[in-house]
Amino acid sequence: EVQLVESGGGLVQPGGSLRLSCAVSGFTFSTYAMTWVRQAPGKGLEWVSAVSDSGVTTYYADSVKGRFTISRDNSKSTLYLQMNSLRAEDTAVYYCAQHYSGPTFQHWGQGTLVTVSS
Amino acid sequence: EIVLTQSPATLSLSPGERATLSCRASQSVSSYLAWYQQKPGQAPRLLIYDASNRATGIPARFSGSGSGTDFTLTISSLEPEDFAVYYCQQRGNWPPITFGQGTRLEIK
């Protein structure tokens, strides 16, 4: 059974940092690209960042470029999102997702809530 | 950036009726369009990929069509569990990957 389990969310002050993790099981992690998608409260889905299977190539939405860093540890089957200089508008549930047939997302985690507030 | 526009924003139908949801892209995405269903408090669920291919375990009442800039998700006969929010998503020209704003399918 495929499982993606996010952790690391919480309450952080504006300007602060947080690192999200996504622990994966049930598939060969090192052979799939991965993505982070977020959803602000009551809003739609927003793609945040993606990383290739090897971790060499990364992609970012303009809204997070220069502040967020995606990475992965294939030996631990874990995906990360380092979030710096957080803003109120980064408040959202953050989902990790597995790429399937390119960036189409068949398997998702349950999400972790990040709240940026003073 | 490719903008996806979904219509209608809200669709009110009864169980057993046919639902037709639309997604229009600001430029061609070929057939690289997916549809997701999301229920409150849950992660999205992949329904359709590459415009017309049902994902694993998705009932046959869900079908997708279209190419280029105009796409349709059809639910042939609504079941009570189908009332949810539906999103389209393109991978035809990325980054960025983009989603539509969603269509809420509600019980009439």
Side-chain angles (χ1 to χ4, degrees):
Chain A
E1 179 191 6
V2 172
Q3 284 197 313
L4 295 83
V5 179
E6 300 97 337
S7 60
L11 175 64
V12 60
Q13 292 188 335
S17 297
L18 216 51
R19 188 176 86 154
L20 305 183
S21 299
C22 171
V24 163
S25 61
F27 65 93
T28 306
F29 181 69
S30 61
T31 63
Y32 289 89
M34 297 291 293
T35 263
W36 289 97
V37 172
R38 68 184 180 184
Q39 187 169 36
K43 303 297 184 182
L45 302 170
E46 180 189 15
W47 172 76
V48 173
S49 182
V51 61
S52 64
D53 53 2
S54 66
V56 169
T57 306
T58 58
Y59 309 89
Y60 298 94
D62 286 346
S63 58
V64 306
K65 200 172 294 183
R67 301 188 299 123
F68 289 13
T69 302
I70 191 171
S71 63
R72 63 192 296 161
D73 186 336
N74 286 345
S75 69
K76 296 182 178 179
S77 295
T78 303
L79 175 72
Y80 302 101
L81 186 68
Q82 177 67 44
M83 304 186 295
N84 299 331
S85 303
L86 283 161
R87 307 167 180 167
E89 54 265 36
D90 296 318
T91 294
V93 174
Y94 285 73
Y95 296 100
C96 60
Q98 174 207 32
H99 285 217
Y100 170 83
S101 183
T104 297
F105 312 120
Q106 181 169 26
H107 297 295
W108 298 66
Q110 84 288 350
T112 187
L113 176 62
V114 173
T115 303
V116 184
S117 175
S118 54
Chain B
E1 171 177 329
I2 293 178
V3 176
L4 299 179
T5 302
Q6 293 186 239
S7 62
T10 303
L11 185 58
S12 299
L13 293 171
S14 300
E17 290 193 290
R18 181 184 186 91
T20 303
L21 287 68
S22 175
C23 178
R24 177 164 289 178
S26 59
Q27 59 186 276
S28 177
V29 298
S30 185
S31 294
Y32 298 128
L33 189 107
W35 290 93
Y36 299 85
Q37 175 194 69
Q38 188 179 34
K39 297 179 180 179
Q42 296 184 14
R45 174 194 183 196
L46 177 65
L47 300 175
I48 301 288
Y49 66 95
D50 294 348
S52 61
N53 297 291
R54 269 191 306 277
T56 303
I58 301 304
R61 65 181 181 273
F62 291 92
S63 63
S65 63
S67 66
T69 60
D70 290 297
F71 299 86
T72 301
L73 173 70
T74 301
I75 311 171
S76 59
S77 179
L78 285 165
E79 298 288 340
E81 62 267 27
D82 298 336
F83 292 91
V85 179
Y86 292 83
Y87 295 95
C88 57
Q89 173 245 319
Q90 68 83 22
R91 67 176 184 93
N93 187 353
W94 77 282
I97 296 160
T98 52
F99 291 88
Q101 82 283 12
T103 290
R104 180 178 304 278
L105 178 56
E106 64 177 27
I107 300 176
K108 187 173 182 180

